[in-house]
Amino acid sequence: MSAQDEQFQAAAPDPAASSADDGMTWWYRWLCRIAGVIGGVSCAFAGLWNCVTINPLNIAAGVWMMLNAFVLFLCEAPFCCQFIEFANAVSARADKLRPWQKAAFYCGMAVFPVMLSLTLTTLFGNAVAFATGVLYGLSVLGKKGDAISYARIHQQQKQMDEEKLTGALEGQAL
């Protein structure tokens, strides 16, 4: 079996480990992917701009930002990395991660260069990558409930509060 066949089998979606049961709708999944690609572009340009300096911390932050851009492209848009042999395998593994794991990974990746060198370039360059992590984190919360359920819960809480209040008043009257 060739190396390309092994990659194809690794990148093929596993029906048992489908990512459809993570609660994300198709449009939200695409929104997260598009935010990841835009975050990758933002990190790449800001990282390159950050490297045009003589301050070593800025250069280190810029290199880290370009590494962030590469990882974002590799995980969210593997078609941008066709020249890399293992891109599809890495993307398939990234798709198997839970949304909260992606959120923690992307937010952590975006915070490190800002802690390394706090400049406007690092802040704005990593903002979209951090927002991608936030979008994945918000998907963990799940779908919003319907108004009828909320009204029913509110009515039950109101009823329980009234019962507690009347019970407390009766206790004081005795």
Side-chain angles (χ1 to χ4, degrees), residues 83-148:
F83 56 91
I84 298 174
E85 294 179 10
F86 57 87
N88 289 333
V90 171
S91 177
R93 284 200 180 144
D95 284 341
K96 290 179 185 178
L97 291 176
R98 294 186 179 122
W100 69 267
Q101 292 169 327
K102 280 187 177 183
F105 182 64
Y106 290 160
C107 287
M109 273 188 347
V111 166
F112 184 73
V114 174
M115 290 185 340
L116 200 57
S117 169
L118 183 60
T119 62
L120 287 176
T121 308
T122 56
L123 276 175
F124 290 137
N126 286 307
V128 183
F130 189 83
T132 302
V134 170
L135 284 174
Y136 275 112
L138 287 175
S139 72
V140 174
L141 297 176
K143 290 184 179 179
K144 181 179 164 186
D146 58 344
I148 296 171

Side-chain angles (χ1 to χ4, degrees), residues 150-169:
Y150 283 126
R152 192 174 297 138
I153 292 170
H154 180 68
Q155 183 66 27
Q156 288 174 353
Q157 287 177 348
K158 190 175 178 183
Q159 205 171 30
M160 288 173 48
D161 289 342
E162 288 176 0
E163 289 174 4
K164 286 180 184 177
L165 184 62
T166 56
L169 290 176

Side-chain angles (χ1 to χ4, degrees), residues 64-96:
W64 189 270
M65 287 171 65
M66 287 191 283
L67 180 67
N68 287 352
F70 176 71
V71 169
L72 280 168
F73 283 139
L74 201 60
C75 293
E76 298 295 332
F79 60 86
C80 293
C81 304
Q82 291 179 355
F83 56 91
I84 298 174
E85 294 179 10
F86 57 87
N88 289 333
V90 171
S91 177
R93 284 200 180 144
D95 284 341
K96 290 179 185 178

Side-chain angles (χ1 to χ4, degrees), residues 24-94:
M24 292 174 65
T25 59
W26 66 270
W27 61 267
Y28 195 78
R29 188 179 320 272
W30 275 100
L31 177 71
C32 290
R33 285 198 180 267
I34 290 170
V37 171
I38 293 171
V41 170
S42 170
C43 277
F45 283 128
L48 187 63
W49 181 258
N50 220 16
C51 285
V52 182
T53 184
I54 58 171
N55 187 355
L57 287 178
N58 284 351
I59 294 172
V63 169
W64 189 270
M65 287 171 65
M66 287 191 283
L67 180 67
N68 287 352
F70 176 71
V71 169
L72 280 168
F73 283 139
L74 201 60
C75 293
E76 298 295 332
F79 60 86
C80 293
C81 304
Q82 291 179 355
F83 56 91
I84 298 174
E85 294 179 10
F86 57 87
N88 289 333
V90 171
S91 177
R93 284 200 180 144

